[in-house]
Amino acid sequence: LPILKLVKIPDAERRLDDYPHQFSGGMRQRVMIAMALACEPDLLVADEPTTLLDLAASRRVGDLLMGLPQQVLLVTHDLELAGRCDRALLVDGGRVVADGPAADVVHHYRARVAACS
């Protein structure tokens, strides 16, 4: 139960017996993060954790991931979230095309897209 509070599930005690369809998409994602954290990993791999979430839910999930004490390996197309990370790798066609501080990598990607337009 404390782990549900850690991932900010409102009324965690009351929600314990709820079914997945009774949670919003963002809450379901946070429950999945809680399940992963229950194993006490040193590294949490989050593969597209904000896909299909609305902007507000995406930001809450991002805030949660950025605030974890564990190291997080984030796989995402969400540039806003990627830009908040410490370090990023930009992969195109299976090839690393940029590697470094996340803000620099995101800037490189946006400049590359703008040049192609």
Side-chain angles (χ1 to χ4, degrees):
L1 186 64
I3 204 148
L4 289 179
K5 290 180 181 178
L6 172 72
V7 296
K8 299 179 174 63
I9 298 296
D11 298 322
E13 297 88 1
R14 187 182 61 76
R15 305 297 307 262
L16 272 177
D17 293 323
D18 285 0
Y19 291 95
H21 71 273
Q22 293 173 295
F23 288 89
S24 69
M27 282 196 289
R28 283 193 298 265
Q29 190 67 304
R30 287 182 277 152
V31 168
M32 292 298 295
I33 293 168
M35 291 169 65
L37 292 175
C39 298
E40 299 180 2
D42 293 326
L43 174 68
L44 177 68
V45 178
D47 188 357
E48 295 293 352
T50 59
T51 298
L52 300 177
L53 298 179
D54 64 42
L55 186 58
S58 178
R59 284 190 179 147
R60 282 192 294 273
V61 168
D63 290 346
L64 171 65
L65 290 170
M66 295 301 130
L68 291 175
Q70 289 84 355
Q71 286 191 337
V72 177
L73 172 63
L74 181 64
V75 179
T76 187
H77 289 90
D78 182 341
L79 290 181
E80 181 181 326
L81 183 57
R84 295 172 59 190
C85 296
D86 296 327
R87 183 174 175 194
L89 246 71
L90 177 60
V91 179
D92 185 16
R95 231 179 62 220
V96 175
V97 294
D99 176 7
D104 294 346
V105 171
V106 169
H107 175 75
H108 170 83
Y109 173 77
R110 287 187 171 138
R112 188 172 168 186
V113 168
C116 293
S117 299

